Amino acid sequence: GAVGNMSLDLVLLAATVINSRASSSTLITDLMPEFITARVLIACVLQLIVHAIPLFLPSQQSLPWQTGYGRSCIAFNWSFNADMVAPVVIVAHNRPAYLQRTLHFLLPIWQADQHGFPLFISIDGASVTARFVARINSVAQKHIIGLLNHDDGRTCAAETDSRQCGYQRIAQHYGWLLHVFFVCNSAPRLIFLEEDLEVSPDFFAYFRRMSNILENDPELWCISAWNDNGQSPFVVDSSAAYRTDFMPGLGWMLARRTAVELLTSWPRTHWDAW
């Protein structure tokens, strides 16, 4: 985990210093006095001891990854009801650093209204989940995030056209999440958030307010927090919401009635252009 990586870095640093002392041609040996080299070694050993201590202490059990694909179901411990605004699922694949950044912006805002927005992370592909565990498992333990893994055993590398395979897997991932939340768990609404987004401070307040409009207006099929023209030079009224026939995507919410309808003919690929 993070502790292991830090300890490994310190070991490598210590090994570098030791090797530099053994070779007269090494720049560190030529420029570093003996006493400084010794101090670096002592500091490395102390750091190793400090970071090794947690390895011998009892730790919290990792949250389990719940895996599925297609039309398989996962039952959550959450009890979805009409008072809940919407669960939020962050859709990710193989960019743990991006996901970390999204959580950095999202969690401080989410903590103020977490009961209305149960938080989940869903990662596509079993082969990449290990890369996320060290980065997000401690966050998941603290903030009670549900960890989902969309995996059907295939990899795009095995496909003839890996780019098209990627589009197919994205569509399958979204379709599976719609099925899990709406069909298997009867969620009233669902917010999708991609793993490379920074949310604004009014993100949850916006969706809480707009959820009533979504439920009461049959002409609306989703609410989005993204506007391609939303930069300050182009905004006249920052409190206005606009109707559009273009699917903004990215951070958006839809109701159960719409999701059930969409699932009857969910596309095999390019879901966002469908």
Side-chain angles (χ1 to χ4, degrees), residues 8-22:
L8 178 60
D9 292 340
L10 292 169
V11 171
L12 293 175
L13 174 60
T16 301
V17 174
I18 293 172
N19 288 336
S20 69
R21 288 176 52 80

Side-chain angles (χ1 to χ4, degrees), residues 78-205:
W78 274 268
S79 176
F80 294 118
N81 55 69
D83 296 330
M84 179 185 300
V85 179
V88 179
V89 58
I90 304 175
V91 185
H93 174 45
N94 63 351
R95 300 185 294 184
Y98 280 37
L99 178 58
Q100 254 189 327
R101 184 175 177 83
T102 295
L103 291 172
H104 172 76
F105 284 92
L106 182 72
L107 290 177
I109 308 166
W110 173 76
Q111 290 178 36
D113 201 3
Q114 56 185 285
H115 298 295
F117 300 91
L119 189 56
F120 296 81
I121 296 173
S122 183
I123 298 175
D124 182 55
S127 61
V128 299
T129 54
R131 299 175 56 192
F132 288 85
V133 170
R135 291 176 178 259
I136 67 173
N137 195 57
S138 60
V139 177
Q141 292 171 355
K142 183 177 180 180
H143 300 287
I144 320 177
I145 299 174
L147 302 178
L148 309 177
N149 176 220
H150 172 257
D151 180 56
D152 61 359
R154 296 188 305 112
T155 60
C156 283
E159 301 293 326
T160 304
D161 188 339
S162 60
R163 184 176 178 83
Q164 290 301 318
C165 175
Y167 287 127
Q168 292 173 16
R169 288 196 65 91
I170 293 172
Q172 292 166 6
H173 192 182
Y174 273 88
W176 177 65
L177 290 172
L178 290 175
H179 179 78
V180 166
F181 280 92
F182 289 112
V183 177
C184 304
N185 291 279
S186 300
R189 291 163 293 275
L190 178 64
I191 296 174
F192 283 107
L193 190 64
E194 297 187 12
E195 94 260 50
D196 57 352
L197 299 177
E198 299 174 7
V199 300
S200 62
D202 61 350
F203 181 82
F204 292 110

